[in-house]
Amino acid sequence: MNRLIAEGISFRYPGREPLLKGIGFRAGGGELVSLIGPNGAGKTTLLKCLLGLLRCQGTVRLDDTPVRGLSPARRASLLAYIPQHHGLSFSYPAFEVVLMGATPALRWYRSPGKAEKERAERAMEEMGVYHLREQPFDTLSGGEQQLCMMARAMMADAKVWLLDEPAANLDYGNTRRLMERLQTLAGDGYLILQSIHAPETAAFFSTRILALQDGQLIADGKPDVLDETLMERLYGVKVRRRELREPDGVFPVFLPVRR
């Protein structure tokens, strides 16, 4: 299952104005979708609604299966969620944290064996964190933890990934490597849906942009939908869009316009 369908997603916290208002979209394997919008637009809340972590109005389905009706184990095997912050309270080695990703696929009486451990090693190598395998997870930098969590997601074999600001704590080089890896996963048939604050990075690496403002999707399209008009509407600033031609695509640059 790698087709995500959201219809009429609305949500409000008690005593507050609605945060999401009738969100709807469809996305499938092969797409790298970036969810952009200003602070407080509801990006993280929308991801949690899609995962079934928050009870919202509307429906979320994987293919024809409602997400809300899935058991936690089944949901974990189909949907990988990588939040901004990880609440692990024990100082596990990074390798053990990655290996935990195999748990949903194992029977209750089984522990990870040789095959799972080899997969964990490969996943860490692919994400560039194999050298950290013996380091306590809670001593790693935020960016290193994020990369380890992505290696763990690879262990679960989930084909739909929801990521909340995956590059927030990464330096330039690791951001580039991460986005290229997400592109590769999308090319292999995964559906990648990420929230992201960097519009230029989103436009360069994504196949599709979803723009969220005041609880509503105000744009949904290919990366070139992110133009001067949309940037001003989202962020309240005037910019000029310029394009740098790269061998692997067009990198947009948004230059501020002095008032």
Side-chain angles (χ1 to χ4, degrees), residues 160-198:
V160 178
W161 284 24
L162 304 182
L163 304 96
D164 194 4
E165 294 291 338
N169 297 307
L170 299 183
D171 60 33
Y172 177 82
N174 277 325
T175 295
R176 176 95 187 197
R177 284 185 283 272
L178 168 65
M179 291 299 164
E180 289 173 348
R181 180 59 188 155
L182 294 180
Q183 282 185 321
T184 298
L185 289 170
D188 290 339
Y190 286 70
L191 167 59
I192 309 293
L193 172 59
Q194 64 168 346
S195 67
I196 187 170
H197 271 307

Side-chain angles (χ1 to χ4, degrees), residues 16 51 76 80 96 122 191 196:
R16 296 175 60 180
L51 287 156
E96 295 295 329
R122 288 196 300 271
L191 167 59
I196 187 170

